[in-house]
């Protein structure tokens, strides 16, 4: 029994840290939200103890009280006290809103994110430059406010990086926005927080918060065209990519592939994961994803390429993995 209790405690506490925890804040908004959460849990605990204490006392007390005393207790404890506490918490929560809702100052980095069943289209909109598109990964400079423009290409999704801030819905045909200010470098995870269909739970993205210098270097790399195949197997992979229909949906800048339906794969080999934060990024997993897509992500728009010979799938996997 004691062991079950200890395991339950470990399980419940393990949600308090890690790359996807609102209780391990690494952003300004997330810190406000975590503080509000602790105030609410603290207040609720005190009230619960008070109520349990009073209930226990009343059960065991033999004394008979006058109506006046009990009336005061009921009105005080049942109406006045909750009104004061709830109003206090409401005001505390409301005073956070203007700051959390304000847009990032002019000149801040702007990133457009679209929810798509079941992945994320990401565009970095730098002033005076063509937008650069990638998918399922955000790299952000630390200590700088970032303005997110959010929308959806199909159904309602919801954009949420628990470690950095609050969540906001993404609607088709409408734009919502969110400001985030990452305060600590590190690796975090974003998720979709609105049920959007079969693969809702398999729609995540990686977030890397880095120094300004590292960010500049990374972004400059994203603007580059794709790297040429490094060896004969990768060259065969590129040929298969262009001849077997992949390029109808996917773009690889610097090649003939200019599809816009699926994720841009120009630098897919440099991402931390593949398939919207579902699989580690290596040749074996690329191979697995290509031939077992519908088993890995039921409902995915991408058809399963299980008609490929193993050496063909391997060549494709090697080509994609070296697109760094
Ligand atoms: Cu997208 Cu849930």
């Amino acid at each position: 029994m004691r062991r079950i209790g200890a395991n339950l405690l470990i399980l419940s506490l393990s949600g308090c840290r890690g790359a996807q925890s609102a209780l391990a804040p690494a952003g300004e908004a997330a810190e406000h939200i975590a503080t509000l959460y602790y105030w609410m849990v603290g207040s609720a605990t005190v009230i619960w103890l008070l109520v349990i204490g009073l209930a226990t006392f009343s059960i065991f007390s033999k004394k008979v009280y006058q109506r006046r005393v009990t009336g005061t207790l009921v009105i005080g404890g049942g109406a006045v006290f909750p009104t004061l506490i709830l109003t206090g918490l409401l005001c505390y929560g409301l005073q956070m809103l203007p700051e959390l809702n304000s847009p990032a100052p002019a000149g801040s980095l702007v990133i457009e994110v679209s929810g798509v069943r079941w992945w994320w289209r990401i565009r970095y909109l730098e002033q005076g430059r063509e937008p650069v598109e990638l998918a399922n990964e955000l790299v952000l400079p630390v200590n700088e406010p970032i303005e997110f423009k959010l929308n959806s290409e199909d159904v309602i999704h919801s954009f949420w990086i628990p470690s950095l801030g609050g969540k906001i819905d993404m609607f088709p045909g409408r734009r919502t926005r969110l400001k985030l200010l990452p305060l600590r470098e590190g690796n975090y995870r974003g998720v979709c927080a609105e049920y959007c269909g079969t693969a809702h739970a398999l729609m995540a993205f990686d977030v890397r918060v880095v120094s300004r210098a590292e960010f500049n270097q990374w972004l400059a790399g994203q603007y580059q065209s794709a790297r040429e195949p490094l060896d004969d197997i990768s060259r065969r992979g590129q040929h298969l990519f262009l001849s077997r229909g992949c390029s109808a949906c996917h773009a690889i800048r610097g090649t003939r592939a200019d599809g816009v339906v699926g994720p841009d794969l120009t630098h897919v080999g440099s991402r931390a994961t593949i398939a919207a934060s579902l699989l580690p990024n290596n040749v074996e997993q690329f191979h697995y994803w290509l031939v077992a897509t519908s088993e890995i992500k039921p409902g995915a728009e991408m058809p399963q390429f299980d008609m490929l010979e193993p050496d063909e799938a391997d060549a494709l996997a090697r080509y994609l993995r070296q697109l760094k």
Side-chain angles (χ1 to χ4, degrees):
M1 196 62 203
R2 199 180 290 171
R3 190 182 293 171
I4 294 175
N7 283 344
L8 277 177
L9 188 68
I10 290 170
L11 262 181
S12 53
L13 287 179
S14 64
C16 301
R17 49 196 169 74
Q20 195 192 308
S21 171
L23 298 182
E28 192 190 38
E31 279 190 346
H32 285 305
I33 293 165
T35 310
L36 177 64
Y37 169 80
Y38 286 122
W39 269 107
M40 291 179 78
V41 171
S43 318
T45 308
V46 171
I47 294 167
W48 183 77
L49 289 173
L50 205 71
V51 170
I52 295 298
L54 276 174
T56 315
F57 175 76
S58 68
I59 289 169
F60 293 105
S61 167
K62 298 274 187 284
K63 200 166 164 213
V64 177
Y65 290 90
Q66 286 182 338
R67 216 194 179 108
R68 191 168 47 81
V69 179
T70 52
T72 312
L73 264 177
V74 167
I75 291 175
V80 179
F81 183 68
T83 307
L84 287 178
I85 292 287
L86 292 178
T87 309
L89 280 173
L90 180 69
C91 292
Y92 180 65
L94 284 179
Q95 57 87 25
M96 285 179 183
L97 278 185
E99 168 57 23
L100 293 182
N101 261 341
S102 64
S108 303
L109 174 64
V110 180
I111 304 175
E112 184 182 81
V113 184
S114 306
V116 193
R117 282 181 297 177
W118 282 277
W119 58 281
W120 309 81
R121 191 190 298 280
I122 291 167
R123 283 201 192 92
Y124 280 68
L125 311 176
E126 282 225 300
Q127 279 173 345
R129 282 182 97 171
E130 281 284 296
V132 67
E133 181 168 324
L134 52 145
N136 304 327
E137 183 173 76
L138 282 172
V139 176
L140 309 173
V142 71
N143 288 325
E144 290 183 32
I146 298 143
E147 180 76 4
F148 286 92
K149 293 180 169 182
L150 307 161
N151 61 21
S152 164
E153 296 184 11
D154 35 52
V155 297
I156 300 176
H157 303 273
S158 183
F159 178 85
W160 191 26
I161 310 170
S163 309
L164 299 190
K167 61 171 93 76
I168 192 115
D169 280 1
M170 313 165 91
F171 303 94
R174 203 179 117 187
R175 202 184 275 287
T176 47
R177 52 157 299 279
L178 183 72
K179 177 188 71 176
L180 291 178
L181 173 56
L183 297 174
R184 265 180 287 289
E185 291 182 29
N187 296 321
Y188 307 104
R189 192 164 184 271
V191 289
C192 179
E194 173 84 31
Y195 181 72
C196 53
T198 320
H200 154 73
L202 307 176
M203 171 178 181
F205 56 100
D206 300 297
V207 183
R208 214 147 49 82
V209 177
V210 298
S211 66
R212 193 17 123 157
E214 201 179 324
F215 172 77
N216 286 345
Q217 198 184 4
W218 172 84
L219 191 61
Q222 296 298 312
Y223 272 100
Q224 303 285 314
S225 291
R227 150 194 288 191
E228 286 296 315
L230 291 175
D231 52 34
D232 286 345
I233 300 180
S234 305
R235 199 162 295 118
R236 183 169 178 230
Q238 187 190 48
H239 175 74
L240 287 162
F241 190 91
L242 297 170
S243 59
R244 291 294 182 89
C246 311
S247 55
C249 292
H250 296 283
I252 296 180
R253 280 176 278 127
T255 72
R256 280 191 284 115
D258 57 359
V260 293
V261 179
D264 183 298
L265 299 177
T266 308
H267 298 292
V268 68
S270 72
R271 291 176 202 153
T273 58
I274 59 171
S277 199
L278 201 50
L279 302 172
N281 189 342
N282 59 47
V283 172
E284 294 71 34
Q285 297 297 324
F286 263 119
H287 186 135
Y288 177 42
W289 170 249
L290 287 168
V291 299
T293 321
S294 339
E295 282 139 60
I296 298 168
K297 192 181 276 197
E301 296 276 321
M302 177 164 144
Q304 181 160 302
F305 283 78
D306 48 5
M307 75 299 274
L308 291 170
E309 296 296 333
D311 62 318
E312 291 179 323
D314 188 56
L316 261 170
R318 275 175 203 279
Y319 171 59
L320 293 169
R321 173 65 181 142
Q322 56 99 61
L323 290 176
K324 296 203 173 163

